[in-house]
Amino acid sequence: MNPFQKNESKETLFSPVSIEEVPPRPPSPPKKPSPTICGSNYPLSIAFIVVNEFCERFSYYGMKAVLILYFLYFLHWNEDTSTSIYHAFSSLCYFTPILGAAIADSWLGKFKVLSLIGLSLIALGTGGIKPCVAAFGGDQFEEKHAEERTRYFSVFYLSINAGSLISTFITPMLRGDVQCFGEDCYALAFGVPGLLMVIALVVFAMGSKIYNKPPPEGNIVAQVFKCIWFAMSNRFKNRSGDIPKRQHWLDWAAEKYPKQLIMDVKALTRVLFLYIPLPMFWALLDQQGSRWTLQAIRMNRNLGFFVLQPDQMQVLNPLLVLIFIPLFDFVIYRLVSKCGINFSSLRKMAVGMILACLAFAVAAAVEIKINEMAPAQSGPQEVFLQVLNLADDEVKVTVVGNENNSLLIESIKSFQKTPHYSKLHLKTKSQDFHFHLKYHNLSLYTEHSVQEKNWYSLVIREDGNSISSMMVKDTESKTTNGMTTVRFVNTLHKDVNISLSTDTSLNVGEDYGVSAYRTVQRGEYPAVHCRTEDKNFSLNLGLLDFGAAYLFVITNNTNQGLQAWKIEDIPANKMSIAWQLPQYALVTAGEVMFSVTGLEFSYSQAPSSMKSVLQAAWLLTIAVGNIIVLVVAQFSGLVQWAEFILFSCLLLVICLIFSIMGYYYVPVKTEDMRGPADKHIPHIQGNMIKLETKKTKL
C-alpha cells in the first residue's frame, strides 16, 4: 500500500493474506559486527573518515589561508573588494551542502556523494563533503554507543583543525618564501592543497568495504517541502471555526502523509527555527581569514625567534582548538558539572557567542592602537609635504601665503629632511603653491602644482652655483598595505641599474632621476649590487622593515665613495603582531563551545532520515554569516575599528535572542524520534499473517 495515497472509503477491511499469494522473505542473516579500533567501541571505519577529513581540510584551509593576500597583492584589488570576494567564495562553499545533502539522503547515500562527487569536483564538491562527512561518521556507531559517538565529534573536529593547523602554517611559507617569476609563488601555494585532495580520495576509498552505509530513504527534501506545503494549504482551506483545531500546524498533513514523516518534519522545523540567530556568530568567526589578516599586515611580525607571514597568524586558531577541545572536555565541563550547573548544549553555544563578542572588542582596541601609530591621513583640500635638501648647504623654505607660511620656519641642513610631513591647506581640489627658497645669498621663488589627498616631497638640489627644486608625488607610499617598499633618487650623471634580488631590478635615470616604488621582502640588505655603464658597486640599504616606505638617494661622496642616503617616508609597523593573541584566544574558545557543541547537537536532534539535511542547514548558517560580512564590507562605509564594534554589538543582541529561544526549547530524545514501525512487529502464525481491522477517518 502506498502510504501517501488518499483513502477513498471511510472504512478499509484487510483480509488475511496467504503465503501462496505473497511469498515470505527469507530471514535476514545476522549482521556481522563491524571491526573496531583496538577492541574499543569505536568502529575502525571512522579512522579512514577522520584521516580523509584531515587531508580535505588541509586542502581547503591551505588554499583559503592565502586567498585574501592573493586578491590584494596579485590581483591588486582593494581591501573591501578582497574581503567581499573572500566571503562570497566562503558563502558559496557553505550554500552547496544543501544540494549535497539532498542527493545524499535521497538517491546516492552519504558514501557515494563523499567519494564520487565531493572529492572529484573540489569547487562543487564542498557541497557533497560538508553535509555528509560528519553525519557519515556518526552513522558508524550503534545507538548503544552514544557516548563514544559524542567523543567522535570532538575527534572529528580535532582532525579538521589538525589539517588546518599544518596547512595554515606551511601554505603561507610556500607563498612568501618561494619566488615564482619574481613574485610570491601562489601556484605552489594552491598546488600543494590540490595534491592533498588526491590523497584524501585514496584514503577514503581504502575503507569502503568496512563502512556502515545506511541506504538513502527517498527524496526526503522533496517530501519535507511537500508535507509542509500540504499542511499549510490544508490548514488554510479548513480555517472555519467549526472545524476542531489540531495540536500542531503540521498535524494538518495527517490526511496525506504518514505520522512518522510528520514527526520528523516537526523535529526538523523546531531545530531550524533555533538556527535563525546563528549566522551572526559565523560572520565574526570567518573574519579571521579576511579582516584580521588585513589587520596583521599592518603590524610588526618579527617575534625575535621567528618572522611570521601575515596569513600565518591564522595558525593560532587550529592550534588553540587542539588545546582547548581536551581542556574543555576533560577539565572545564567536568568542573562545571561538579558544581551542579546544567551546562546544556544551548548554554554552551550562548557562552561561545559572548566570547566572540569580546574577541571583536579586543580587535577593535588593537585597530585603534594601530591607527594611532600610523601616519595621519590627508582629507579633502589637504596635502602633506616634506622637504628633502640635497644641496651642499642649508636651505630655508617658506610657503608663500598667509595660511601656510608658518609651517616650514626652520632651515633645513644639507642632506636632511623635515622631521615630519607638514599639512598644507588648499582652497580648491588642486592648487599651485609658491615657495621661497633662501640659499647662501640667493633668494629664489618656485611654483609647483598639487592635488588634494596626496603626499608630496619637495626635493631641493644643486644646479651649478644655484639650486632648483622638483615636486615628487608620494601617493604610492600610502598604498603599501603593510609591505616594504623602496624607491631611489640618482644624483649621479649616469644611469644606475639596481638589483634588489635575483628577479627584481630597476633602472634610475641620471641627474636626479626618481624611480617608482618597488615592493621587497622584509630583511637586511647589506650589499645590493648596482652598476653603471662603466662601473659596478654595492650599496648598503640596511634593515628594510615591515610596512615602511624608504627613499634612497644615491650620492658620490669624495671621501667615502658611492653611498645611499636612507630616508624613511613612512615609518615601519611598530605594534607587534603578538597583540592579536588575545582576540584569537577568545574567538577560538568561543568556537570550541559553539561549533563543536553545535555539530553534536545537530546530529542528536536530527530525525534518522534527515541527518544530512540538518547538517547542511547548520552549514547554511555559515553561508549566511559570510553574506552578512560581504554586505557590511561593501555598504557600511565604516572605518575598521568601528566595523569591529558593530559586529560585536550585533552578536551580543543576537546572543540575547538566542538565549531566550533556547530557554523554551525542549531537546528531542532518541526514542521520541522512533515511529510505530520501529516499536510494533506484526504477529505471524503459520502461513497466515494476522492483520487487525482498522477504521480510517478522513
Side-chain angles (χ1 to χ4, degrees):
M1 178 181 178
N2 184 355
F4 303 106
Q5 183 178 354
K6 290 185 179 180
N7 296 315
E8 299 296 336
S9 62
K10 296 183 179 180
E11 179 174 292
T12 306
L13 299 179
F14 294 85
S15 58
V17 181
S18 67
I19 193 170
E20 289 79 16
E21 294 176 310
V22 180
R25 295 181 180 178
S28 301
K31 186 177 180 180
K32 184 178 179 180
S34 301
T36 60
I37 300 175
C38 301
S40 65
N41 293 327
Y42 292 93
L44 180 61
S45 55
I46 68 168
F48 294 94
I49 296 174
V50 169
V51 173
N52 162 80
E53 184 66 7
F54 168 84
C55 295
E56 192 271 335
R57 292 292 87 184
F58 183 103
S59 174
Y60 177 76
Y61 285 109
M63 177 273 300
K64 200 174 178 183
V66 300
L67 197 58
I68 191 75
L69 298 187
Y70 174 75
F71 293 153
L72 192 67
Y73 295 143
F74 191 82
L75 299 182
H76 304 293
W77 294 344
N78 62 41
E79 291 188 1
D80 287 340
T81 301
S82 300
T83 300
S84 299
I85 300 300
Y86 176 92
H87 287 283
F89 169 76
S90 298
S91 179
L92 183 62
C93 288
Y94 286 102
F95 264 123
T96 50
I98 294 295
L99 176 61
I103 298 174
D105 277 338
S106 303
W107 298 299
L108 298 181
K110 301 180 187 72
F111 169 74
K112 292 182 179 178
V113 170
L114 189 57
S115 59
L116 298 182
I117 297 178
L119 297 175
S120 299
L121 304 172
I122 297 176
L124 295 177
T126 301
I129 296 171
K130 286 183 181 294
C132 300
V133 64
F136 185 61
D139 289 339
Q140 307 305 303
F141 293 87
E142 300 177 10
E143 286 298 331
K144 61 182 179 180
H145 298 145
E147 183 178 350
E148 286 82 1
R149 184 179 64 200
T150 301
R151 291 276 180 247
Y152 152 76
F153 282 107
S154 291
V155 175
F156 175 80
Y157 211 73
L158 280 171
S159 70
I160 292 176
N161 286 277
S164 175
L165 170 67
I166 299 174
S167 64
T168 51
F169 184 77
I170 293 178
T171 309
M173 294 177 64
L174 298 177
R175 173 195 62 80
D177 296 344
V178 180
Q179 295 290 303
C180 297
F181 310 106
E183 297 181 343
D184 288 351
C185 196
Y186 289 99
L188 186 61
F190 290 137
V192 171
L195 177 62
L196 263 292
M197 284 302 299
V198 177
I199 297 175
L201 173 61
V202 173
V203 170
F204 186 76
M206 288 171 60
S208 61
K209 294 184 178 180
I210 62 174
Y211 292 138
N212 175 29
K213 307 170 188 175
E217 303 185 17
N219 194 343
I220 190 65
V221 175
Q223 290 183 29
V224 168
F225 281 106
K226 289 179 180 178
C227 179
I228 294 174
W229 175 255
F230 182 81
M232 294 173 63
S233 59
N234 195 28
R235 177 68 184 91
F236 181 77
K237 293 176 183 177
N238 297 277
R239 60 185 182 276
S240 173
D242 299 333
I243 301 176
K245 295 182 179 180
R246 301 188 183 181
Q247 186 176 5
H248 193 279
W249 64 273
L250 278 169
D251 291 334
W252 289 94
E255 284 83 358
K256 185 175 182 181
Y257 294 96
K259 182 179 180 181
Q260 182 61 47
L261 178 64
I262 295 174
M263 290 175 60
D264 288 353
V265 176
K266 286 180 181 179
L268 180 68
T269 53
R270 289 173 69 249
V271 179
L272 291 181
F273 177 73
L274 203 61
Y275 279 5
I276 293 176
L278 303 190
M280 185 53 66
F281 176 85
W282 301 113
L284 275 69
L285 184 69
D286 277 6
Q287 290 188 56
Q288 295 175 78
S290 58
R291 291 302 198 192
W292 286 14
T293 299
L294 295 176
Q295 185 184 71
I297 66 178
R298 293 182 288 114
M299 304 179 77
N300 192 320
R301 305 189 296 275
N302 183 14
L303 300 179
F305 59 91
F306 189 78
V307 178
L308 283 174
Q309 298 289 343
D311 39 359
Q312 268 183 323
M313 197 60 183
Q314 299 174 60
V315 78
L316 274 178
N317 178 255
L319 176 62
L320 291 174
V321 165
L322 294 175
I323 297 172
F324 285 168
I325 284 181
L327 177 64
F328 277 74
D329 278 350
F330 298 112
V331 180
I332 296 179
Y333 291 158
R334 293 187 179 184
L335 289 176
V336 172
S337 179
K338 287 184 179 181
C339 293
I341 301 174
N342 179 22
F343 208 24
S344 64
S345 297
L346 297 180
R347 289 179 179 177
K348 293 176 185 176
M349 294 170 69
V351 173
M353 290 182 178
I354 294 174
L355 292 175
C357 291
L358 295 176
F360 265 66
V362 173
V366 171
E367 187 70 22
I368 291 172
K369 194 65 178 177
I370 293 174
N371 292 340
E372 290 177 355
M373 296 181 176
Q377 299 294 317
S378 57
Q381 296 187 2
E382 291 179 351
V383 295
F384 281 92
L385 177 71
Q386 69 172 352
V387 179
L388 307 179
N389 182 11
L390 305 184
D392 61 355
D393 202 352
E394 67 178 25
V395 176
K396 185 170 183 179
V397 180
T398 305
V399 181
V400 179
N402 295 330
E403 187 175 1
N404 298 305
N405 61 358
S406 62
L407 296 178
L408 303 173
I409 298 177
E410 299 293 331
S411 296
I412 305 169
K413 295 182 180 180
S414 176
F415 278 85
Q416 286 194 359
K417 74 179 192 69
T418 47
H420 54 79
Y421 279 89
S422 299
K423 182 187 294 186
L424 302 182
H425 298 278
L426 282 64
K427 297 179 181 179
T428 58
K429 291 184 178 181
S430 62
Q431 183 176 330
D432 292 334
F433 272 102
H434 298 272
F435 298 91
H436 177 222
L437 309 180
K438 190 172 183 180
Y439 170 72
H440 292 166
N441 296 323
L442 297 176
S443 182
L444 305 173
Y445 288 89
T446 181
E447 178 182 341
H448 297 285
S449 178
V450 296
Q451 292 183 338
E452 65 175 359
K453 299 181 180 179
N454 286 316
W455 296 58
Y456 293 92
S457 293
L458 180 64
V459 181
I460 301 173
R461 62 181 186 174
E462 292 184 21
D463 190 0
N465 295 325
S466 183
I467 58 173
S468 61
S469 65
M470 61 181 183
M471 187 72 78
V472 180
K473 190 176 180 181
D474 297 345
T475 306
E476 293 182 53
S477 64
K478 296 303 297 176
T479 59
T480 56
N481 294 319
M483 300 292 286
T484 305
T485 59
V486 296
R487 64 174 177 171
F488 295 84
V489 174
N490 177 20
T491 66
L492 307 181
H493 299 299
K494 298 178 181 179
D495 293 352
V496 177
N497 180 271
I498 304 171
S499 299
L500 295 170
S501 66
T502 55
D503 299 317
T504 305
S505 63
L506 55 89
N507 287 306
V508 189
E510 62 184 5
D511 295 327
Y512 295 92
V514 182
S515 72
Y517 280 99
R518 285 296 179 93
T519 301
V520 296
Q521 295 290 327
R522 182 262 183 194
E524 293 280 353
Y525 290 79
V528 173
H529 179 70
C530 306
R531 62 183 175 85
T532 62
E533 60 183 12
D534 57 358
K535 185 177 182 180
N536 291 332
F537 60 96
S538 296
L539 294 177
N540 181 10
L541 304 186
L543 174 64
L544 305 183
D545 213 349
F546 291 116
Y550 298 98
L551 171 65
F552 291 95
V553 180
I554 303 174
T555 62
N556 188 3
N557 189 297
T558 306
N559 298 325
Q560 299 178 351
L562 293 171
Q563 288 184 324
W565 178 41
K566 184 177 182 180
I567 303 169
E568 198 176 63
D569 285 344
I570 293 182
N573 300 337
K574 295 294 191 298
M575 192 166 187
S576 172
I577 199 171
W579 284 102
Q580 280 195 324
L581 180 59
Q583 65 199 57
Y584 271 97
L586 285 169
V587 82
T588 305
E591 179 185 4
V592 169
M593 300 190 72
F594 184 93
S595 188
V596 177
T597 305
L599 278 173
E600 195 278 330
F601 175 79
S602 295
Y603 188 90
S604 66
Q605 300 299 294
S608 59
S609 61
M610 303 183 195
K611 293 190 183 297
S612 287
V613 175
L614 200 55
Q615 289 286 326
W618 170 262
L619 297 171
L620 185 62
T621 63
I622 306 178
V624 177
N626 280 274
I627 291 179
I628 294 174
V629 183
L630 188 157
V631 172
V632 172
Q634 283 294 313
F635 303 109
S636 70
L638 297 174
V639 294
Q640 192 55 64
W641 68 266
E643 187 178 292
F644 285 155
I645 293 294
L646 173 65
F647 277 110
S648 182
C649 294
L650 287 176
L651 184 58
L652 191 61
V653 174
I654 291 297
C655 178
L656 178 62
I657 297 173
F658 178 77
S659 300
I660 296 173
M661 295 169 64
Y663 179 80
Y664 292 100
Y665 180 82
V666 180
V668 178
K669 298 179 180 179
T670 305
E671 54 269 20
D672 296 336
M673 290 189 286
R674 293 176 182 172
D678 300 326
K679 302 175 183 177
H680 175 71
I681 301 176
H683 176 66
I684 302 177
Q685 182 177 6
N687 62 349
M688 303 291 289
I689 301 178
K690 293 185 177 180
L691 299 176
E692 297 180 359
T693 301
K694 297 186 178 181
K695 295 183 179 180
T696 305
K697 294 184 178 180
L698 288 175

